[in-house]
Amino acid sequence: MRVEIVDVGPRDGLQNEEKTLPPEIRAGLCDRLAAAGVPRVEAASFVNPKRVPQMAGAEEVIAGLNRREGTSYAGLVLNEKGYERAVAAGVDEVRYAFPLTDEFARRNQNTTVEEAAALAGRLAGRAREDGVRFSVTLSVAFGCPFEGEVRPERVLEVAGQVAGASPDEVVLADTIGVGVPTQVRALVQELSEIAPEETAVGCHFHDTRNTGIANAVAAVESGATVLDASVGGTGGCPFAPRATGNIATEDLVYTLHGMGYETGIDLDALIEVAGWLSEQLGKELPGRVHKAGAFAPVSG
Amino acid sequence: MRVEIVDVGPRDGLQNEEKTLPPEIRAGLCDRLAAAGVPRVEAASFVNPKRVPQMAGAEEVIAGLNRREGTSYAGLVLNEKGYERAVAAGVDEVRYAFPLTDEFARRNQNTTVEEAAALAGRLAGRAREDGVRFSVTLSVAFGCPFEGEVRPERVLEVAGQVAGASPDEVVLADTIGVGVPTQVRALVQELSEIAPEETAVGCHFHDTRNTGIANAVAAVESGATVLDASVGGTGGCPFAPRATGNIATEDLVYTLHGMGYETGIDLDALIEVAGWLSEQLGKELPGRVHKAGAFAPVSG
């Protein structure tokens, strides 16, 4: 079976790093990921650079790509203006994200869940006309740093509304890394049942409490076909206190390949990308497989 | 459902740390774990202190315990001499470990798999006479750093032989952290089928490639009732190159409680033990829940 991995490292990974990498390096990261066989790369964030300075120069990142045939380059957007910037910049896909609690929605993008969900429907229509792939991410689907528990009924209510607009995918995001496998299975199974056939179900996990890979396994075994991850395990969320990085793409690929899933990714090449990114950021990254290596017996 | 967690931090955790903690501090760690509700603690290693200096003073650790009613204190042994030392020191249970490949067995404890498996049978008999609980750990059950893949048939052949001596438990150990959930499920299910009713099936995971919690979930869902872990995620193996720590007990407890399993452990108290151990070792530990905290919304 195939799992489609979206490397969100150039966006979610780098947006919370202390060191800001210039657009040409971020474009270079995307190129390296594409060369390693990553099928989809979240290359840039079309948000206000005053709020997230690490993401400044989104247009330059997209313009700086050496686009690889078969790779899809995405831009994250939080509102209609971002959508327009992303499409004008020439992304292959727009990924629109909004939170499932009003408090987080207000802090993160100055909106309400109701308004944000309505916008998902409008953007889905525009994306169809514009001929770009369109994905909707539902943040804090497994718990909110401000409101606490997010009831599964509420998640599915909003997810169902969004799925009704037939986006290419709906992604459940564990923004602050609190979910556990039983929770993942229940939500993914139910969302898979209510989503239209043309809408893929994806998941986005942070490894804040070390549950990320377990949750990813639970997700693909329950019907998710898309998983976000960041090479090296960089990342976090500037507006989610104590959130740490995304699951590391190389750790995810190691696990999925070992379990018999196909990803199209060359793990050894990906491990090299993690090493390169670690050098660019001048720090050790939390991913583990790029340090331990894929399994090979040692001699001596 | 209940999962029995054995905190192996005072033994597997500390045996590979650069800083050696004196026996009284190691006994204090056991006391703190017991007070947090950990039902079984691997307190000491009865091995040659010349080979593993971090474990010197095993008898003093056991003598220094403030034994708590209901907590079982175990000693690791690799041979008959170790067994005798452990019983003489007054442990409640002996945990005997040997590897499933001859190369690792030679390097780790100067024996062969055949000799080591035969010893398991003899020690099981002696433990019954001595009235101590007896557990057998099969190391490198998911892959060997020297011989590579370890065939499941081989694992089950040796495990079946050992289980035939009716020890209290047989533990499959992923000493170098290479296993994936599908592999765990297959081995645990098959071992559960061939083990006698009085023999529990356990697992021991290292988080070298970030698969540890996913593997632990796979294990308990396939019939394992015992899981090893180290508070704070310390550990490794002096004779297994590039192996890193055990799964962190607090990360495991967070996951299991979230999934509805009972462990008898107070997570908040356990998080405090991890913080204390981090101070004793003077370093940040790899476990995540003790840094992120159990899930609680933040205010402000």
Side-chain angles (χ1 to χ4, degrees):
Chain A
M1 223 181 88
R2 192 172 178 88
V3 176
E4 197 169 66
I5 292 181
V6 185
D7 198 301
V8 298
R11 199 280 303 171
D12 200 7
L14 297 183
Q15 78 173 14
N16 207 31
E17 291 292 335
E18 275 183 44
K19 183 171 175 181
T20 297
L21 298 182
E24 62 271 22
I25 299 289
R26 278 141 58 201
L29 172 58
C30 297
D31 292 346
R32 283 174 165 78
L33 289 167
V38 177
R40 294 167 65 193
V41 179
E42 199 170 283
S45 180
F46 293 87
V47 294
N48 186 342
K50 284 186 194 141
R51 292 203 74 198
V52 190
Q54 292 93 331
M55 291 290 103
E59 284 80 358
E60 293 162 76
V61 173
I62 303 298
L65 295 170
N66 280 308
R67 291 201 184 204
R68 192 169 180 278
E69 182 78 29
T71 309
S72 181
Y73 300 90
L76 177 83
V77 312
L78 300 182
N79 52 39
E80 197 140 20
K81 185 180 170 199
Y83 173 88
E84 286 161 4
R85 281 177 62 200
V87 172
V91 300
D92 299 308
E93 52 176 304
V94 170
R95 304 187 93 204
Y96 167 62
F98 71 91
L100 288 165
T101 65
D102 282 327
E103 181 63 18
F104 201 105
R106 183 180 70 74
R107 292 180 186 234
N108 197 59
Q109 54 216 73
N110 196 28
T111 186
T112 64
V113 176
E114 193 183 344
E115 289 167 1
L119 179 57
R122 287 205 305 284
L123 293 181
R126 290 190 65 171
R128 257 190 299 278
E129 285 174 25
D130 292 330
V132 295
R133 184 170 174 152
F134 184 67
S135 167
V136 180
T137 293
L138 303 174
S139 306
V140 299
F142 299 86
C144 170
F146 308 111
E147 297 193 11
E149 192 196 349
V150 178
R151 287 182 305 108
E153 300 75 22
R154 177 63 175 155
V155 176
L156 293 165
E157 181 190 1
V158 179
Q161 184 189 341
V162 167
S166 297
D168 292 296
E169 78 193 5
V170 176
V171 176
L172 299 172
D174 188 7
T175 311
I176 56 169
V178 294
V180 293
T182 40
Q183 201 181 358
V184 172
R185 287 178 196 144
L187 283 177
V188 169
Q189 275 166 9
E190 295 196 54
L191 178 54
S192 299
E193 281 168 24
I194 59 177
E197 204 173 335
E198 65 271 23
T199 300
V201 172
C203 281
H204 173 110
F205 295 113
H206 284 252
D207 217 7
T208 314
R209 287 168 185 80
N210 232 333
T211 57
I213 297 292
N215 287 340
V217 169
V220 297
E221 292 188 331
S222 304
T225 57
V226 176
L227 287 173
D228 288 1
S230 283
V231 65
T234 56
C237 174
F239 307 109
R242 299 192 301 194
T244 56
N246 299 108
I247 53 173
T249 314
E250 64 275 17
D251 296 356
L252 178 62
V253 169
Y254 176 86
T255 307
L256 291 176
H257 287 188
M259 295 179 73
Y261 291 93
E262 290 169 16
T263 67
I265 296 173
D266 177 336
L267 180 55
D268 289 329
L270 188 67
I271 286 171
E272 285 186 27
V273 180
W276 175 86
L277 181 58
S278 176
E279 282 171 25
Q280 297 301 316
L281 289 167
K283 61 182 271 197
E284 190 174 297
L285 300 180
R288 295 209 166 170
V289 167
H290 79 268
K291 284 172 278 199
F295 178 40
V298 295
S299 54
Chain B
M1 223 181 87
R2 192 172 177 88
V3 176
E4 197 169 66
I5 292 181
V6 185
D7 197 302
V8 298
R11 199 279 304 171
D12 200 7
L14 297 182
Q15 77 173 15
N16 207 30
E17 291 291 334
E18 277 183 43
K19 183 172 174 181
T20 297
L21 298 183
E24 62 272 20
I25 300 288
R26 279 141 58 200
L29 172 58
C30 297
D31 292 345
R32 283 174 164 80
L33 289 167
V38 177
R40 294 168 63 193
V41 179
E42 198 169 284
S45 180
F46 292 87
V47 294
N48 186 342
K50 285 187 193 142
R51 292 203 75 196
V52 190
Q54 292 92 333
M55 291 291 104
E59 283 80 359
E60 292 161 77
V61 173
I62 304 298
L65 295 170
N66 279 310
R67 291 201 184 204
R68 192 171 180 277
E69 182 78 29
T71 308
S72 180
Y73 300 90
L76 177 83
V77 312
L78 300 182
N79 51 38
E80 197 140 20
K81 185 179 170 197
Y83 173 88
E84 286 161 4
R85 281 178 62 200
V87 171
V91 300
D92 299 307
E93 52 176 305
V94 169
R95 302 187 95 204
Y96 167 62
F98 70 91
L100 288 165
T101 65
D102 283 327
E103 182 63 18
F104 202 105
R106 184 180 69 75
R107 291 179 186 237
N108 197 59
Q109 54 214 73
N110 196 28
T111 185
T112 64
V113 176
E114 193 182 344
E115 288 168 1
L119 180 57
R122 286 205 304 284
L123 294 182
R126 290 189 65 171
R128 256 189 302 276
E129 286 175 24
D130 292 330
V132 295
R133 184 169 174 153
F134 184 67
S135 167
V136 180
T137 293
L138 303 174
S139 305
V140 299
F142 299 86
C144 170
F146 307 111
E147 297 193 12
E149 192 196 349
V150 179
R151 289 181 305 108
E153 299 76 23
R154 178 62 175 155
V155 176
L156 293 165
E157 182 190 0
V158 179
Q161 184 188 340
V162 167
S166 298
D168 292 296
E169 80 194 2
V170 176
V171 177
L172 299 173
D174 188 7
T175 311
I176 57 170
V178 294
V180 293
T182 39
Q183 201 181 359
V184 173
R185 288 177 196 144
L187 283 177
V188 169
Q189 274 166 11
E190 295 196 54
L191 177 54
S192 300
E193 280 166 26
I194 59 178
E197 205 173 334
E198 65 272 23
T199 301
V201 173
C203 282
H204 173 110
F205 296 113
H206 283 252
D207 216 8
T208 314
R209 287 168 185 82
N210 231 334
T211 58
I213 297 292
N215 287 339
V217 169
V220 296
E221 292 188 331
S222 303
T225 57
V226 176
L227 287 173
D228 288 1
S230 283
V231 65
T234 57
C237 174
F239 307 109
R242 298 191 302 193
T244 56
N246 299 109
I247 53 173
T249 314
E250 64 276 17
D251 297 356
L252 177 62
V253 169
Y254 176 85
T255 306
L256 291 176
H257 287 187
M259 295 180 73
Y261 291 93
E262 290 169 16
T263 66
I265 296 172
D266 177 336
L267 180 56
D268 290 329
L270 188 66
I271 286 171
E272 285 185 29
V273 180
W276 175 86
L277 181 58
S278 177
E279 282 171 27
Q280 297 301 317
L281 289 167
K283 60 181 272 198
E284 189 175 298
L285 300 179
R288 296 209 167 170
V289 167
H290 78 268
K291 284 172 277 200
F295 179 40
V298 294
S299 54

